[in-house]
Amino acid sequence: MRDDKVAGGGLILGPDTVVTCAHVVNDALGRELFEPRAPGLEDITVEFTGPRARGRYPARVAHWIAPRTYDGATVRAGEDHWLGDLAVLRVNAPEDSVWPAARRLAMTAGQKVRTWHGSTGGATFADLTVKSADGPVAYLDGEATGMAVGPGYSGGPLWCGRDKAVVGVVVAHFMPPQDPLTGGPAGYSPQHLIRRSWGIPWQHIETELRGVGALDLQEVEPADPDDPARLLLIEALEAAFPSPSGRGDAARQLARACGVGDGGEVTPPTFEEFADFLLGHPRALAAFTEILRRRDPAAADRVLTAGRLSPGPRLLSPREYARLHHLLRGVDRTVLGRFGEVVRAALPLVAAFPGGGSLDTLLDHLETLPGDGRSDGADPRVPALLRAMEYLSVLCAAPQRAGLRMWSDGVIARLGIPRSALAERRSDAQEWARDIRTRSARARVLVEVRQAGAERHRLRIWCDEGAGPRQVSATADVSYSASEAARELLRTLESLAPSASQGQRPLVEVLVDRGSLNLPVDEWEGRAPDEIVPGVLGVEFPLVMHCPELLRRHERFLPEWRRRWSRLDSGATLVFSDASKDPNQVYYELMEKLDAVRVSVDVPPGLRDGIVQVCLAVGVPVVVWDRGQNTDSHAVKHMARVATRELPDGVRSYRARTMAHPHDFPGRPVLAWADADRTVPRLHLTEPQEGV
């Protein structure tokens, strides 16, 4: 809801999760109804009304399935049907204020269902009949008397009283035709469609939610009889619980921990049934080791060793998972907004993460990753999620940092991981925090390069040690050859070397017009006759290209450029390697992918330059390509494995390898780098308006 206006309803999935329509969330946040981008960390107000309590609580989007047309395009106003349009919200509410999740069943034609307005007013219920539920869209007709579905019903559950279950959610209603003159309802005709709505059947909601992992942690799946962990778990259980009574007590404790069953007196499960539950419920094995660690640490270790052979069990127990989310609710939103950066720093060797995903999606993915570290022998390593939490904690205020560290301490104690291993990761995180405090002050040299005839160039040079650019060369009519220009730059760079922060080499930022983006400044050699080293600029220093002209010519994209840059560590990467895709198609794709912060271009030169310029003009801050004549570039592929923020140094390293091993490193990489956090001096380029 927004400003006390109800946007729609929702269906409770679990103790702190609700599913509703994505367009309901957009409406609650004051966005365009069919905005496809996820809202990020913005809060949505959710109101619970029921016999337990009535209250309003903040929630955030945990999983986002944007509205889409049948061919995958963005939904436009006036469309009658669409797909997707689901959002799972994680609600910050006390457990005793939330109703238990309702039973859910597949929708079938002929079911009589009831739905309510999002305000849940007693008189707002509307009775409907399912007319068709064969595909992703179900059609429902309302009774001629009583309430009709309208605004505020979207996202609400469709309750089948006969089956005592929810069978879907409401999405939209077909409104009566309008009078073309008055804009009001047209005069009634027997040919008019009356009280027809459409929704999403539960069986299709399941498909959509499973596709984004939103149900993975809530369902007990049948165990695979061929799971390699099953036999070892059975043996571990036989050793730990020789008596049926002990096994029955452990089973009841486990049921309570996992929120299944009533935890009452039941027949003790067989060892096979016990093992199947441990492998079928995603958090049962972790919950069981919590119980077991206190009474029999050796048995807990055996269970964990067996569990690691199976892909099903998750890292955290239900209690640990709930506690983590409770702690994260107290973390400042600006810190949580840097979570992508945190994960990249904590896990630099991990190839990929869910693109454009929410915080919850990324957390769930981290649970599936193995541990890392430098532990000796067979000692278990620190899991990836815990390492990420250590890196996140160093950005937090002291109370939140203490809470996250105590949580990590508890998890590694249950896992039997030596505290020294976590201390090593904690030290790594502290060192990273010290580094990022000085990273923004990396010294740089900016050089404006303008053509001055064949093989001649005019330069203007600025130094920026963190306080902004200061010009160190006067504007003049002097022109330089490539070698002379390199020597001029090297003299400036040598003057900065002693003050470079923590030994980092200064960044060389070459400011050019759009026609000079392929100028091989990185290959310029500054060797004087009496010098013994070549002095190749792009080999000794990280050197990037920057074209302020393209940003200036399209100023409407400046906000997008700054927004993309702010997500440098968490935004998406695009690769354009299809030679049949022209710059216009690239433009359309970039307008669809507004979270893209990095683009790699690997197409023939004639097409390449146009695509590069489109990317820079619309505000993509990082673009990589190969200025050579070939496609299928070795350099572009090699750079794909380098983290975005490390690209300037990665490209420099590649250039050095090219000089040393030209056959193994044949590329000529170019990196366009537009840092929105640091100012650019006023340039004498082709536009009358100066400055970016």
Side-chain angles (χ1 to χ4, degrees):
M1 63 171 47
R2 174 169 58 98
D3 299 331
D4 287 330
K5 179 183 176 183
V6 174
L11 168 64
I12 295 171
L13 283 182
D16 64 348
T17 50
V18 170
V19 65
T20 184
C21 289
H23 80 260
V24 170
V25 174
N26 282 333
D27 187 28
L29 292 174
R31 308 198 313 166
E32 292 294 326
L33 211 58
F34 298 116
E35 170 60 60
R37 290 180 296 171
L41 297 170
E42 291 189 69
D43 280 344
I44 303 105
T45 300
V46 174
E47 181 174 274
F48 287 108
T49 305
R52 291 186 174 184
R54 182 185 185 103
R56 295 181 181 181
Y57 306 98
R60 69 166 186 268
V61 172
H63 300 277
W64 180 258
I65 304 171
R68 64 184 188 276
T69 63
Y70 281 76
D71 59 2
T74 300
V75 178
R76 305 297 179 191
E79 302 259 8
D80 286 335
H81 306 85
W82 52 87
L83 300 176
D85 199 6
L86 293 168
V88 176
L89 308 179
R90 188 171 297 281
V91 187
N92 185 10
E95 286 190 18
D96 59 0
S97 66
V98 182
W99 284 21
R103 180 168 174 250
R104 280 99 67 176
L105 284 179
M107 182 184 288
T108 58
Q111 284 174 323
K112 300 290 186 181
V113 296
R114 176 169 286 188
T115 191
W116 291 261
H117 187 269
S119 63
T120 67
T124 66
F125 67 87
D127 290 324
L128 311 166
T129 301
V130 179
K131 293 297 184 180
S132 171
D134 298 330
V137 169
Y139 295 103
L140 310 108
D141 284 356
E143 296 183 359
T145 60
M147 191 70 73
V149 171
Y153 283 80
S154 294
L158 292 162
W159 171 258
C160 179
R162 182 194 67 190
D163 297 323
K164 291 183 170 48
V166 171
V167 296
V169 300
V170 180
V171 176
H173 180 69
F174 293 95
M175 300 303 291
Q178 290 184 327
D179 186 299
L181 297 177
T182 66
Y188 172 75
S189 165
Q191 295 297 316
H192 288 166
L193 191 64
I194 301 174
R195 293 198 172 182
R196 172 158 291 176
S197 306
W198 68 270
I200 310 176
W202 174 251
Q203 57 266 35
H204 189 70
I205 294 174
E206 280 189 310
T207 300
E208 292 273 19
L209 295 185
R210 281 202 181 96
V212 297
L215 291 180
D216 291 351
L217 306 179
Q218 300 186 16
E219 298 181 332
V220 179
E221 298 289 340
D224 181 358
D226 297 324
D227 193 315
R230 187 171 185 267
L231 182 58
L232 290 177
L233 278 175
I234 291 172
E235 293 174 353
L237 290 167
E238 289 173 342
F241 300 104
S243 72
S245 61
R247 190 164 68 251
D249 289 341
R252 282 188 290 275
Q253 285 181 273
L254 181 59
R256 286 193 294 270
C258 294
V260 297
D262 56 11
E265 293 296 327
V266 295
T267 302
T270 65
F271 294 115
E272 290 77 11
E273 290 170 338
F274 208 138
D276 287 344
F277 181 76
L278 291 176
L279 295 174
H281 188 291
R283 301 207 179 278
L285 192 132
F288 185 52
T289 56
E290 263 186 331
I291 297 166
L292 207 53
R293 177 67 64 185
R294 293 189 289 269
R295 63 179 293 273
D296 191 344
D301 289 337
R302 288 194 295 272
V303 168
L304 284 169
T305 300
R308 291 189 185 102
L309 299 176
S310 174
R314 289 300 185 108
L315 173 70
L316 303 179
S317 69
R319 184 190 63 81
E320 291 166 343
Y321 185 75
R323 178 61 179 163
L324 174 61
H325 281 283
H326 176 75
L327 289 169
L328 292 177
R329 289 180 188 126
V331 174
D332 188 87
R333 187 183 297 177
T334 59
V335 174
L336 287 180
R338 299 177 63 183
F339 194 59
E341 174 189 357
V342 165
V343 172
R344 278 292 177 200
L347 306 166
L349 300 182
V350 176
F353 297 100
S358 65
L359 174 65
D360 292 64
T361 302
L362 192 47
L363 287 170
D364 291 345
H365 178 69
L366 288 173
E367 272 199 274
T368 67
L369 300 181
D372 66 349
R374 298 182 286 276
S375 61
D376 297 326
D379 285 342
R381 295 180 172 182
V382 178
L385 177 62
L386 268 66
R387 177 164 183 173
M389 289 302 107
E390 287 299 322
Y391 276 64
L392 181 69
S393 71
V394 297
L395 301 181
C396 296
Q400 287 74 38
R401 181 166 60 251
L404 287 170
R405 286 180 172 176
M406 290 177 64
W407 175 85
S408 295
D409 290 342
V411 176
I412 66 156
R414 174 182 63 81
L415 295 173
I417 297 173
R419 290 184 62 86
S420 59
L422 185 63
E424 180 184 89
R425 291 300 171 230
R426 197 160 282 172
S427 176
D428 290 343
Q430 290 167 337
E431 183 178 344
W432 171 72
R434 287 192 294 269
D435 177 63
I436 62 173
R437 281 195 288 268
T438 59
R439 185 173 60 191
S440 62
R442 181 176 191 168
R444 60 176 182 158
V445 168
L446 302 99
V447 54
E448 177 191 0
V449 179
R450 290 182 291 145
Q451 300 282 356
E455 306 299 328
R456 304 293 293 181
H457 313 276
R458 290 192 174 89
L459 309 179
R460 284 203 300 164
I461 304 173
W462 296 260
C463 290
D464 181 3
E465 293 96 335
R470 56 180 178 82
Q471 189 165 342
V472 296
S473 70
T475 303
D477 294 330
V478 177
S479 67
Y480 301 87
S481 66
S483 180
E484 291 167 344
R487 285 198 293 273
E488 186 72 15
L489 272 170
L490 286 172
R491 279 193 288 271
T492 303
L493 287 160
E494 286 171 352
S495 71
L496 279 185
S499 62
S501 63
Q502 294 199 347
Q504 285 184 317
R505 293 175 178 270
L507 179 74
V508 179
E509 192 168 330
V510 183
L511 309 172
V512 294
D513 60 31
R514 59 178 174 163
S516 300
L517 280 164
N518 288 305
L519 193 66
V521 179
D522 54 283
E523 299 176 4
W524 289 357
E525 294 189 15
R527 190 203 304 257
D530 58 342
E531 290 182 353
I532 61 174
V533 295
V536 182
L537 287 175
V539 169
E540 292 193 24
F541 298 92
L543 184 147
V544 301
M545 308 300 281
H546 188 179
C547 184
E549 172 194 353
L550 286 169
L551 283 168
R552 200 164 59 212
R553 287 169 64 94
H554 306 85
E555 288 193 355
R556 63 185 181 277
F557 293 110
L558 289 178
E560 284 301 320
W561 165 52
R562 296 186 180 100
R563 189 187 63 81
R564 291 183 198 258
W565 177 264
S566 71
R567 301 181 180 181
L568 190 67
D569 298 287
S570 58
T573 296
L574 299 181
V575 178
F576 294 123
S577 58
D578 184 355
S580 66
K581 186 174 290 187
D582 64 32
N584 283 346
Q585 291 172 302
V586 169
Y587 161 77
Y588 298 135
E589 188 164 342
L590 289 170
M591 291 300 95
E592 181 184 357
K593 307 284 188 180
L594 293 175
D595 62 338
V597 302
R598 169 177 171 178
V599 170
S600 295
V601 183
D602 191 8
V603 296
L607 178 61
R608 177 197 66 208
D609 294 345
I611 291 177
V612 167
Q613 291 186 29
V614 166
C615 293
L616 297 176
V618 301
V620 176
V622 179
V623 184
V624 181
W625 70 96
D626 191 324
R627 74 163 67 91
Q629 297 302 306
N630 298 323
T631 55
D632 195 25
S633 166
H634 178 274
V636 172
K637 289 181 178 178
H638 186 86
M639 288 304 115
R641 299 193 293 269
V642 179
T644 302
R645 198 175 288 278
E646 306 303 321
L647 275 174
D649 293 295
V651 170
R652 185 208 62 77
S653 177
Y654 185 96
R655 290 166 180 153
R657 294 180 182 185
T658 298
M659 294 297 190
H661 310 286
H663 295 294
D664 296 329
F665 295 87
R668 301 176 68 195
V670 185
L671 172 62
W673 184 266
D675 187 337
D677 293 333
R678 307 193 72 173
T679 57
V680 174
R682 296 169 63 86
L683 305 180
H684 299 319
L685 297 176
T686 57
E687 295 289 305
Q689 180 185 355
E690 298 188 336
V692 176

